[in-house]
Amino acid sequence: MLLNSNLPNINQHVVILGGGTAGWITANLLAKHWLQLGIKVTLVESSDIGVIGVGEGSTPQMKTFFDEIEVDESEWMPACNATYKNGIRFVNWSKKPGYKSYFHPFASKIDAFTAPIFMQNCVARLKGYDVHAHPDRYYLATKLADKKLSPIASENFPFEIGYGYHFDSVLLGKFLRKIALKRGVQHVEGTVDQVAQHPNGDIKELKLENGQTIAADLFIDCSGFRALLIGKILKVPFISYKENLFNDRAITLPTPVSENINTATISTAMKCGWAWDIPLLNRTGNGYVYSSDFCTDDQAEFELREKLGMLKSDTPAQKIKMRVGRMEKHWANNVLAVGLSQGFIEPLEATALHFVLETVNGFIRTYGAGGFTRKNQAEFNQNLNARFEGIRDYIVAHYRLNSRTDNDYWNANGSNNKVSTTLVQMINCWTSGGNLAQEIESKRISSFYPPFSWHCLLAGYGVFPAEKQLMKDESQSQRYDLNEIDEFIRRASLNFQS
Ligand SMILES: Cc1cc2nc3c(=O)[nH]c(=O)nc-3n(C[C@H](O)[C@H](O)[C@H](O)COP(=O)(O)OP(=O)(O)OC[C@H]3O[C@@H](n4cnc5c(N)ncnc54)[C@H](O)[C@@H]3O)c2cc1C
């Protein structure tokens, strides 16, 4: 393979720095695709520097990952106290009557029967007709979550169902480590305290505190928020999203597992952010994501404890600082940044591990196609940056459109004009009753969030003409029989169990 100077020739040795979820997911993907090419893969991690390790939710890409590395749910889910996730319910984000909560489901093929009706009703309501356009009645996954059913259908149900998981990320890291080591990844425990570079800036070797040196051709920086190689050594600039997204702290507190486990993440709006409720087999993971510009850590802890009925409990809370934004480049010199080191958008839509998978799979594809050229490197970085911005915009939309005005935090979010042109155009298209799906396609952002997700968000927050302006029109309101949709979804849900 012909490689340009300053781009990695990885025919010999790849070193992953960091053994958090990002590091071990990367190790497994490289074990699957590169060990067979004779490339040696080593992961270095420090037992003195911890991992982030909060209870986490995933998107459906996590299922694709486990299918790809050929690990069955029956093997990994019990080992990680994992549960199924049909989507996310957003509670108390909107103060509008009738819009107290809405559900953002994962897409499934059966939605083809009901989602178009929802979207057509959205357009009719935007045009001023009084038709039903709240997303909760149109998706099977919503019904499954409401009935606390898992997304695994009986065999005679002929539609594929999209779903994600909740899991203990510390246990997930440990599980993935075992698999990667069994498959031939080398493991070194130690703290990197020095890094040597070649004259062209490429990383030459890592030096550990115990004196050991590890040289490689390619380094994958999975060192978390420290961003040791991409940030501290290569000095790739960090682009903060602080002016778009205000939250920069999280606080976590576990509670005992409830008897009847939810099959969805619950995101509840709080005074200065939102709280998650993530059900695991052995506990419920709770956390409050907030902005330190609007409340202190102690105020946030009090509010979370109050919500959970834990004001008198001595269970300690874990406090986490979040660096929200992304690196200007994810791949620079012979370093690929993966995970928190490459960037982080706050966890509202649980997209971080999705990024890890996109990044590593994209990199493996680029290598496989003989594509380690400057042009492809630039394209690779551009694509990931566009994905980051696309997902950021969707999350910003939650804060801009929810209609809460009860304090400075929500007012500042609602009136924040530091939003991208793309988002402004999307909102304008929606409110003027334009074709949002077409707008999304033309902007090439449907692979970040597809039209149905945008419809759920905008309709879920009730971004429609005011109730009193709506016209009663029988030809519109009787176009679809909602009872038929209810019955269709009810009967489909009978194929699932808790
Ligand atoms: C509050 C919060 C909630 C989140 N919720 C979700 C969610 O629901 N869904 C989701 O997909 N993601 C979520 N994330 C993101 C998710 O936690 C991370 O993407 C994921 O855990 C990967 O982290 P990481 O491996 O990049 O970093 P870390 O877990 O921080 O791991 C860093 C690793 O680098 C090693 N290291 C660092 N420096 C050195 C050194 N000098 N020498 C040797 N080793 C070193 C450490 O030992 C560690 O092994 C959340 C994040 C936060 C902050």
Side-chain angles (χ1 to χ4, degrees):
M1 188 179 310
L2 215 135
L3 295 157
N4 290 5
S5 65
N6 227 16
L7 288 169
N9 177 345
I10 57 166
N11 290 330
Q12 290 161 21
H13 193 196
V14 178
V15 163
I16 301 165
L17 171 62
T21 332
W24 287 113
I25 285 178
T26 305
N28 274 282
L29 287 172
L30 297 191
K32 166 87 186 176
H33 296 281
W34 282 1
L35 287 183
Q36 66 196 5
L37 305 180
I39 298 170
K40 182 177 157 193
V41 178
T42 304
L43 186 145
V44 185
E45 68 175 321
S46 162
S47 49
D48 295 335
I49 302 172
V51 298
I52 277 286
V54 284
E56 287 170 335
S58 85
T59 62
Q61 270 62 23
M62 203 65 181
K63 176 169 182 345
T64 313
F65 163 69
F66 277 108
D67 289 348
E68 190 177 357
I69 65 166
E70 295 169 80
V71 173
D72 202 74
E73 284 180 354
S74 60
E75 208 184 325
W76 80 267
M77 285 186 72
C80 304
N81 287 322
T83 63
Y84 290 112
K85 172 177 171 184
N86 287 301
I88 305 177
R89 179 159 290 285
F90 295 90
V91 178
N92 283 347
W93 279 72
S94 168
K95 293 279 189 181
K96 280 192 186 165
Y99 296 93
K100 192 169 174 237
S101 91
Y102 84 91
F103 193 75
H104 181 192
F106 291 130
S108 290
K109 288 197 173 149
I110 196 169
D111 298 340
F113 292 95
T114 50
I117 299 174
F118 164 54
M119 297 204 203
Q120 282 165 32
N121 276 0
C122 285
V123 173
R125 198 168 176 97
L126 285 163
K127 293 202 157 105
Y129 296 108
D130 189 7
V131 297
H132 181 278
H134 189 292
D136 281 6
R137 255 170 110 171
Y138 299 89
Y139 291 91
L140 175 60
T142 310
K143 184 69 152 187
L144 298 183
D146 288 350
K147 289 170 75 178
K148 303 192 179 189
L149 299 175
S150 81
I152 309 301
S154 58
E155 208 182 331
N156 56 3
F157 187 72
F159 298 94
E160 257 178 51
I161 298 291
Y163 62 87
Y165 307 99
H166 305 112
F167 45 80
D168 178 327
S169 64
V170 174
L171 294 182
L172 180 64
K174 285 184 181 160
F175 179 86
L176 290 174
R177 168 164 49 187
K178 225 166 40 191
I179 303 280
L181 298 188
K182 220 176 352 177
R183 294 179 179 183
V185 171
Q186 308 293 307
H187 185 212
V188 175
E189 219 167 287
T191 303
V192 173
D193 69 349
Q194 283 181 56
V195 177
Q197 286 173 276
H198 291 290
N200 68 356
D202 281 5
I203 307 287
K204 184 177 164 213
E205 59 192 18
L206 308 181
K207 297 189 182 179
L208 307 189
E209 274 176 356
N210 66 8
Q212 188 182 353
T213 58
I214 304 170
D217 312 292
L218 172 72
F219 292 84
I220 307 208
D221 186 350
C222 295
S223 63
F225 284 130
R226 283 180 170 75
L228 183 65
L229 304 180
I230 195 87
K232 292 210 174 76
I233 302 297
L234 293 187
K235 301 203 174 357
V236 170
F238 179 75
I239 298 175
S240 170
Y241 287 165
K242 179 79 184 164
E243 59 179 26
N244 315 107
L245 292 167
F246 303 155
N247 296 343
D248 57 358
R249 296 275 203 284
I251 186 160
T252 66
L253 257 178
T255 48
V257 64
S258 51
E259 216 159 81
N260 204 351
I261 289 183
N262 269 326
T263 53
T265 300
I266 313 290
S267 157
T268 307
M270 303 279 277
K271 282 186 190 146
C272 298
W274 59 277
W276 76 74
D277 166 332
I278 288 188
L280 303 182
L281 285 184
N282 63 331
R283 65 174 157 87
T284 302
N286 306 284
Y288 180 8
V289 177
Y290 58 98
S291 166
S292 63
D293 287 345
F294 293 87
C295 75
T296 64
D297 294 345
D298 287 347
Q299 283 167 335
E301 182 168 345
F302 181 86
E303 202 190 339
L304 182 61
R305 283 187 184 279
E306 195 177 35
K307 174 180 186 290
L308 301 172
M310 290 179 76
L311 282 175
K312 292 195 177 133
S313 158
D314 54 8
T315 305
Q318 187 196 352
K319 290 175 183 156
I320 301 163
K321 283 189 183 163
M322 306 187 304
R323 190 176 69 146
V324 174
R326 65 165 171 83
M327 286 295 169
E328 193 181 271
K329 296 175 189 168
H330 309 263
W331 171 11
N333 289 73
N334 62 341
V335 172
L336 174 71
V338 176
L340 297 173
S341 66
Q342 75 184 122
F344 181 54
I345 308 173
E346 67 139 278
L348 184 57
E349 289 279 352
T351 46
L353 294 180
H354 187 117
F355 262 108
V356 168
L357 296 169
E358 287 284 337
T359 306
V360 181
N361 281 325
F363 196 73
I364 290 170
R365 269 198 308 275
T366 307
Y367 178 72
F372 275 11
T373 62
R374 288 214 165 283
K375 183 169 164 282
N376 286 345
Q377 186 185 33
E379 252 175 45
F380 177 88
N381 284 323
Q382 256 167 25
N383 287 341
L384 275 179
N385 288 342
R387 182 169 288 277
F388 255 90
E389 255 81 277
I391 291 181
R392 179 203 62 191
D393 283 353
Y394 188 78
I395 292 176
V396 169
H398 279 285
Y399 290 97
R400 270 297 300 254
L401 299 169
N402 62 67
S403 78
R404 278 188 79 122
T405 53
D406 43 319
N407 64 16
D408 288 351
Y409 172 83
W410 291 103
N411 282 330
N413 272 296
S415 61
N416 184 10
N417 285 325
K418 299 279 176 30
V419 293
S420 73
T421 312
T422 304
L423 182 54
V424 171
Q425 288 169 347
M426 299 272 288
I427 296 170
N428 287 344
C429 175
W430 173 268
T431 48
S432 64
N435 187 330
L436 192 67
Q438 215 169 58
E439 181 83 7
I440 290 167
E441 288 306 328
S442 74
K443 292 190 176 325
R444 300 191 180 173
I445 54 174
S446 64
S447 66
F448 312 150
Y449 277 97
F452 96 89
S453 291
W454 283 98
H455 279 73
C456 284
L457 187 154
L458 289 149
Y461 288 138
V463 184
F464 289 118
E467 201 83 23
K468 55 179 185 277
Q469 291 170 2
L470 295 175
M471 302 173 276
K472 303 264 180 226
D473 180 320
E474 281 193 0
S475 69
Q476 289 292 334
S477 57
Q478 290 178 3
R479 210 159 140 214
Y480 303 109
D481 184 345
L482 283 195
N483 294 325
E484 261 181 33
I485 295 173
D486 291 343
E487 186 57 7
F488 175 78
I489 289 180
R490 186 191 71 79
R491 290 173 68 170
S493 76
L494 297 178
N495 292 280
F496 297 79
Q497 292 181 342
S498 53

